[in-house]
Amino acid sequence: MPPIPTNLWLNHPLNQNPQIDSSASFVEYLRWLRIRRENPDNKNPQIGLVNNGEVLELLDKIEQKSNYSSRLKTLTDRTRKLATESFSVKAPWRIRVGGMRGPESMLIPAFDALGMPYIPSTTLKGVAREMAERDPNTTPEDVRNIFGDLEPTASMGKVIFLDAYPLAVENKQAGLTPDMANEIWKWQGDEPPNYKTNPNVFLSLLQPTFVIGLRKGINCSDEIIERVKKWLLQGLLQGIGSRVNSGYGELKLRPQELRNIPHEQRPIKNPVILSVPFEIKGQLIHGRQKFSGWELKNNKNHENNNWKQPGKSESELRPIAFRSMLRYWFRAFALGVLPSKRVRQLEGAIFGTIEPKAKTGLFRIEIVDVEDDQENEQAGRLILRHSGLTENNKSQRINIAQLLKNLTWMMFHLGGIGQGARRPCYQRNSNPWYRGCNLTPIRENITPNSEINIWRLPTSPDEFKTQFQSRLQEFYKYLSRIHGQELNEKNPREVIRCTSEIWSESIDINCRIVVVNKRILSTVIPNKPFALQILAEQFHNLESETETDSDAKNLCGGVNEDQYQVNGQTIRRDAIPSPVWICNLQRYQVVTVFGGTQSPRSEYLTQLQASADNYVTLWG
């Protein structure tokens, strides 16, 4: 077996036991590592970090040894001394500000010349200027006079923005921690998106506090400083940096500083669309990763040193997880009635996109009142807010709000979220002790109060059908308005030709959604709901009855590569997610089956119907 790999800076031939300088920043080592990865003979032109494991291993060592406190104290003290007006803002969750290229700049947030994380002054100026341009009481001439301009003639602004550095109080590295991005669904032109996980480790700042400084320039008055401060606070409240659509970048004044600002000058957040307290039980949402050692990817590849570092995942209630799930169900329902090209356009407009051009979405997501102290359980409040893009368009704001309210309801009643989202939570006799996920709204605390009746859970499958179809009709009603043309969900399209091996994750003509229950089970499996028990039995039967895993994979998906035959041609498949979603609502389960018209999924539905006390069709 080859030796376990390490970062080159940890295993330099001239210094096998390097001593880490506690004042050196993470990015200094990262830049050196990039240089060491360059291959001068060009036989292997790879430049940069080899894999996520090296990033995690490097950061793990730096977190143990480095301490930025002294340097950051110098920088934040300097800001307070130079500034005419200074204040502190705290990120309730994470923030990423910076470039997107190169191994050190992609590990956002931005770093200054010495490798300290910070918010550049140009970013702060841009945020304040954008808010000023939206202010109905401010003319374009006022904006140019205060912020300066290059055209038609170059002119200096009246306010100087200082770089903002984080306080290093609770964390020696000012909150610099591993983060995870995983683009699961990727559009291919105008075809429906393909499933392909692509996890990448990067860095963000976790709950940092920044010191912000404004300094008077030439001919700057106290009134101008106060106006700029208000605009800047308003922009910081909406979020800055990259991935704002996903909940990153929101900054808030600390309570002790907010009390010193007159009420009329305090920043105002965008209106709330919906506020839903919730609980999660099961495999939970994961996003943070820590170094946990190297593993060989495949024992057959020893000679290639094909190592990987999976990392140790930590649960974290992430706004991006909820946004991704809302996006998933929007796409699934929209694809059933609209061409893929139009769905992609609408999805990008509503949720935001980075391809082919970066766009901000029409709403923001926040997670507040977070509780995740109990093992296998998390809780919080999901808040959907309008973005600033709809503030001058009342009809658009109404349509988006109503569409999102109904979409959020369906998300809570069709599946879970995070790891194991497609299965209800049940207990096992071995590690992991829990599989699947139960995502439950705390129905009596929904706000606005007018929404509570809509969220009350019906007592029977027939009553649930009435409520589900009402929510679905409302969703398509407002989707029609946003699309600009009436849609007929009663005549769904076929997104792709459905077979046993091929299906579309869309609510189309081949999809089936049913609600089922059974009072007494012949074989009791602890905490495993009826619909899941039937699915597991059929899956294991397919595994034992066939020579390949393809039939079982056609029912429940799978991570192992397999193959099937089409007209004598062998088609290979990588990992595919399960086409069956099961949501446990205690009294009954809601089951969504993509491609439910084809075997073996159609047989599952037949068996489910034959075994259930109640079997009610919601779609199909």
Side-chain angles (χ1 to χ4, degrees), residues 327-391:
R327 190 175 196 135
Y328 173 88
W329 287 115
F330 170 84
R331 183 190 310 127
F333 281 103
L335 281 171
V337 295
L338 286 169
S340 299
K341 181 178 181 179
R342 182 56 176 156
V343 174
R344 184 178 186 181
Q345 292 171 346
L346 292 174
E347 180 186 321
I350 296 171
F351 293 87
T353 184
I354 58 175
E355 292 179 349
K357 184 179 180 181
K359 291 182 181 179
T360 301
L362 299 181
F363 75 103
R364 280 184 53 85
I365 282 184
E366 300 172 18
I367 303 293
V368 300
D369 303 332
V370 173
E371 299 177 12
D372 57 2
D373 296 333
Q374 298 187 48
E375 187 177 6
N376 302 311
E377 293 186 19
Q378 295 173 328
R381 180 177 285 272
L382 170 67
I383 298 177
L384 275 64
R385 291 184 183 274
H386 290 285
S387 77
L389 298 180
T390 61
E391 60 187 353

Side-chain angles (χ1 to χ4, degrees), residues 48-87:
L49 299 176
V50 170
N51 54 39
N52 290 334
E54 289 201 327
V55 175
L56 290 177
E57 184 186 14
L58 177 59
L59 182 63
D60 181 67
K61 296 296 182 183
I62 301 300
E63 282 183 326
Q64 294 175 26
K65 302 291 184 179
S66 291
N67 190 337
Y68 301 173
S69 299
S70 176
R71 178 61 183 164
L72 289 175
K73 185 179 186 304
T74 299
L75 292 167
T76 51
D77 286 348
R78 184 183 68 179
T79 297
R80 291 190 177 102
K81 291 176 182 178
L82 289 175
T84 306
E85 179 76 21
S86 67
F87 54 93

Side-chain angles (χ1 to χ4, degrees), residues 559-596:
V559 297
N560 296 325
E561 183 182 285
D562 72 329
Q563 60 187 37
Y564 60 93
Q565 299 289 323
V566 176
N567 298 326
Q569 182 180 3
T570 299
I571 308 296
R572 297 186 181 276
R573 291 190 297 183
D574 292 326
I576 54 174
S578 172
V580 180
W581 286 73
I582 302 176
C583 182
N584 186 22
L585 301 180
Q586 301 302 322
R587 298 185 179 103
Y588 38 79
Q589 294 102 55
V590 180
V591 183
T592 304
V593 183
F594 297 121

Side-chain angles (χ1 to χ4, degrees), residues 244-262:
V244 170
N245 289 334
S246 303
Y248 288 75
E250 179 189 359
L251 292 164
K252 295 181 178 180
L253 268 172
R254 294 192 293 183
Q256 60 269 34
E257 296 190 352
L258 186 61
R259 287 193 292 267
N260 297 327
I261 299 178

Side-chain angles (χ1 to χ4, degrees), residues 129-183:
R129 183 169 190 141
E130 181 179 356
M131 292 298 106
E133 290 171 347
R134 294 186 189 180
D135 190 339
N137 299 316
T138 304
T139 66
E141 187 63 29
D142 288 336
V143 174
R144 284 193 295 270
N145 288 336
I146 293 173
F147 294 95
D149 215 335
L150 294 177
E151 296 178 353
T153 57
S155 61
M156 291 183 60
K158 295 183 178 181
V159 177
I160 300 170
F161 291 79
L162 304 178
D163 292 334
Y165 288 90
L167 294 171
V169 179
E170 299 175 356
N171 181 290
K172 293 185 296 183
Q173 288 77 36
L176 195 65
T177 56
D179 204 343
M180 176 62 71
N182 191 358
E183 185 180 20

